[in-house]
């Protein structure tokens, strides 16, 4: 994933949803697409680990991973990706509306995957500032969640790289969600 032109520019206040209801609708669509991408990409990453792309050490550990650990780890990846969207945009008090949209998105993740809650995930990362630190801490946490144990640091390198490279995708998705009519967005959740 390359950083796009949209990632280079910040979201303008002119894209602010007109109502709280519209903000929640747009956040729901943002969450839908972000969730799908994160789940697909985490699945591909784990398939690469299983295939030995990250070395035999991680390949051997893969066999002991528990399938039930996937969804909590995927949820953490989704929540952190949503949070990083705000970080990428430099959200401040002056862009409260964008912060609110991301908060709606985090809440929507609880409807997609119940456990752990988005609040629990964000509490885990509270006090960590800056994209670099968030990516590093989240990647390690996700790998522990997956069950990599003492090999989590090595496995986290791939997830950290993914989070950093996804900046352009997050910006493009946010731009899409804020610029398309709600009816088009709702339809996009039905077709892809």
């Amino acid at each position: 994933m390359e950083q796009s032109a949209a990632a280079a520019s910040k979201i303008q206040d002119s894209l602010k949803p007109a109502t709280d209801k519209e903000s929640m609708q747009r956040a729901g669509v943002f969450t839908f697409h972000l969730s799908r991408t994160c789940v697909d990409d985490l699945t591909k990453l784990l398939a690469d680990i299983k295939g030995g792309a990250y070395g035999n050490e991680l390949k051997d550990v893969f066999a002991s991973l528990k399938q039930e650990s996937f969804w909590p780890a995927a949820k953490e990846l989704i929540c952190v990706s949503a949070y990083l969207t705000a970080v990428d945009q430099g959200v401040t008090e002056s862009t409260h509306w964008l912060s609110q949209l991301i908060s709606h998105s985090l809440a929507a993740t609880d409807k997609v995957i119940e456990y752990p809650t988005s609040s629990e995930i964000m509490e885990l990362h509270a006090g960590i500032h800056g994209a670099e630190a968030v990516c590093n801490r989240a990647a390690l946490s996700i790998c522990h969640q997956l069950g990599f144990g003492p090999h989590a640091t090595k496995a986290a390198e791939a997830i950290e790289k993914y989070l950093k490279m996804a900046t352009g995708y997050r910006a493009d998705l946010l731009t899409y969600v804020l610029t398309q009519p709600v009816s088009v967005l709702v339809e996009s959740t039905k077709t892809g």
Side-chain angles (χ1 to χ4, degrees):
M1 284 178 254
E2 291 183 27
Q3 186 148 336
S4 69
S9 64
K10 302 295 181 200
I11 296 297
Q12 302 299 312
D13 281 341
S14 61
L15 297 177
K16 177 182 176 182
T19 64
D20 196 45
K21 178 182 177 185
E22 180 186 344
S23 179
M24 288 190 292
Q25 289 173 315
R26 291 181 183 281
V29 173
F30 179 81
T31 303
F32 172 84
H33 289 292
L34 185 65
S35 296
R36 211 167 100 175
T37 299
C38 287
V39 167
D40 288 351
D41 290 346
L42 184 58
T43 300
K44 289 175 193 166
L45 175 70
L46 290 173
D48 288 347
I49 289 172
K50 181 181 179 182
Y54 293 93
N56 288 332
E57 184 180 7
L58 289 181
K59 180 180 177 180
D60 294 343
V61 174
F62 180 85
S64 66
L65 299 182
K66 305 250 185 284
Q67 190 172 8
E68 60 270 10
S69 68
F70 177 83
W71 290 110
K75 175 135 181 212
E76 186 167 355
L77 183 60
I78 296 162
C79 288
V80 167
S81 293
Y83 173 74
L84 282 169
T85 302
V87 172
D88 296 342
Q89 292 296 319
V91 169
T92 64
E93 288 183 30
S94 65
T95 50
H96 174 74
W97 68 269
L98 187 52
S99 178
Q100 191 63 37
L101 186 131
I102 298 300
S103 292
H104 290 316
S105 177
L106 289 169
T109 66
D110 292 334
K111 294 177 181 163
V112 177
I113 303 169
E114 287 184 34
Y115 174 80
T117 66
S118 60
S119 296
E120 291 169 332
I121 291 169
M122 297 317 295
E123 272 182 37
L124 182 63
H125 301 290
I128 300 171
H129 303 286
E132 182 82 22
V134 171
C135 289
N136 180 276
R137 173 66 176 96
L140 190 58
S141 177
I142 289 165
C143 288
H144 278 295
Q145 181 79 257
L146 286 167
F148 279 100
H151 305 283
T153 302
K154 183 167 174 60
E157 293 171 11
I159 292 178
E160 183 175 357
K161 182 179 177 182
Y162 167 79
L163 287 167
K164 290 175 182 176
M165 289 178 58
T167 301
Y169 168 75
R170 291 189 299 264
D172 289 345
L173 179 58
L174 184 61
T175 299
Y176 170 74
V177 166
L178 291 171
T179 58
Q180 297 301 306
V182 171
S183 60
V184 170
L185 294 174
V186 169
E187 194 61 32
S188 76
T189 65
K190 296 174 185 173
T191 59

